[in-house]
């Protein structure tokens, strides 16, 4: 399946963040320069902030979550090749997220690289690759390192490897409700 184009509500300017926090624009630049809020710069050197990072920052420092941030449905890529309980996982995620599904590892990685989702949910093995290998690859690229990666596994070896690779969360493969709650929390939907 081909992913849709990124929506503007997924990226925010320094001015928008300043408005959310009711601070001066220079304060936002200082926070960004000190690494307090993850960001990237456009080719014109303008600051941009991704939705999940803005939500993390606002919650960490007790700022209210603006409706503008709550309005969008975060996009989640589901890598589902041979996923145990695939239908239950799909149903658990569809309610709160724009779900993009992949059943081919090569297509998944190409599309994710071109059009990064907010989160990736993946099994411990996807084709010839392991979940931790995919997570490590995502975290090694500048354009995808911000993606939250959730590994579905009951295997302790996979869990340890996924944490070392940079997984955002680990969920038991048999727990679709726990998966939904975990991804909701990672995306800032539950406050």
């Amino acid at each position: 399946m081909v992913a849709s184009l990124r929506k503007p509500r997924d990226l925010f300017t320094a001015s928008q963040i300043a408005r959310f926090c009711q601070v001066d624009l220079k304060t936002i630049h200082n926070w960004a320069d000190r690494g307090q809020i993850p960001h990237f710069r456009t080719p014109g050197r303008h600051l941009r902030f991704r939705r999940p990072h803005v939500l993390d920052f606002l919650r960490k420092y007790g700022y209210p979550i603006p409706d503008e941030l709550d309005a969008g449905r975060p996009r989640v890529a589901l890598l589902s090749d041979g996923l145990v309980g695939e239908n239950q996982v799909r149903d658990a995620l569809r309610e709160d997220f724009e779900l993009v599904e992949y059943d081919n590892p090569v297509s998944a990685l190409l599309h994710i690289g071109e059009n990064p989702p907010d989160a990736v949910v993946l099994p411990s093995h996807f084709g010839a690759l392991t979940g931790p290998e995919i997570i490590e690859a995502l975290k090694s690229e500048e354009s995808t390192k911000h993606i939250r990666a959730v590994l579905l596994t009951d295997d302790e070896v996979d869990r340890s490897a996924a944490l070392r690779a940079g997984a955002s969360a680990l969920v038991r493969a048999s727990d679709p409700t726990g998966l939904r709650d975990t991804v909701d929390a990672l995306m800032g939907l539950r406050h």
Side-chain angles (χ1 to χ4, degrees):
M1 175 181 277
V2 177
S4 60
L5 294 177
R6 211 87 186 129
K7 294 174 183 68
R9 69 174 183 261
D10 295 340
L11 295 177
F12 296 91
T13 65
S15 295
Q16 288 172 300
I17 305 307
R19 183 171 40 87
F20 297 160
C21 298
Q22 298 179 350
V23 298
D24 186 78
L25 186 59
K26 183 66 178 162
T27 301
I28 301 303
H29 283 269
N30 288 335
W31 289 343
D33 291 344
R34 282 186 265 166
Q36 290 179 289
I37 181 168
H39 64 283
F40 67 94
R41 291 192 181 267
T42 67
R45 303 286 302 144
H46 297 281
L47 287 173
R48 292 295 179 267
F49 303 87
R50 297 185 196 289
R51 181 181 183 277
H53 297 144
V54 173
L55 286 165
D56 289 349
F57 180 84
L58 294 174
R59 292 162 118 206
K60 179 178 179 179
Y61 293 104
Y63 289 104
I65 306 297
D67 291 341
E68 197 172 336
L69 285 168
D70 270 346
R73 283 174 44 137
R75 192 155 27 99
V76 173
L78 174 61
L79 311 185
S80 60
D81 179 37
L83 183 62
V84 175
E86 184 175 324
N87 290 332
Q88 293 86 354
V89 167
R90 186 181 299 118
D91 292 343
L93 294 173
R94 256 197 199 120
E95 186 176 322
D96 292 334
F97 306 102
E98 177 186 330
L99 191 60
V100 182
E101 295 181 57
Y102 300 99
D103 58 8
N104 177 295
V106 174
S107 294
L109 293 174
L110 287 172
H111 289 149
I112 288 169
E114 291 173 1
N115 193 6
D118 296 298
V120 172
V121 174
L122 64 160
S124 57
H125 290 85
F126 188 55
L129 300 172
T130 68
E133 289 172 330
I134 293 170
I135 293 167
E136 187 172 350
L138 290 172
K139 297 300 180 181
S140 70
E141 294 296 321
E142 187 63 35
S143 64
T144 57
K145 71 179 184 181
H146 71 280
I147 297 172
R148 308 307 211 247
V150 180
L151 184 73
L152 295 172
T153 186
D154 293 324
D155 185 310
E156 288 304 317
V157 173
D158 288 339
R159 295 169 76 82
S160 298
L163 288 172
R164 282 191 307 277
S168 304
L170 307 169
V171 177
R172 300 230 174 261
S174 58
D175 186 11
T177 302
L179 171 63
R180 186 196 62 235
D181 292 345
T182 298
V183 178
D184 278 352
L186 288 173
M187 293 296 103
L189 297 179
R190 301 277 189 236
H191 12 265

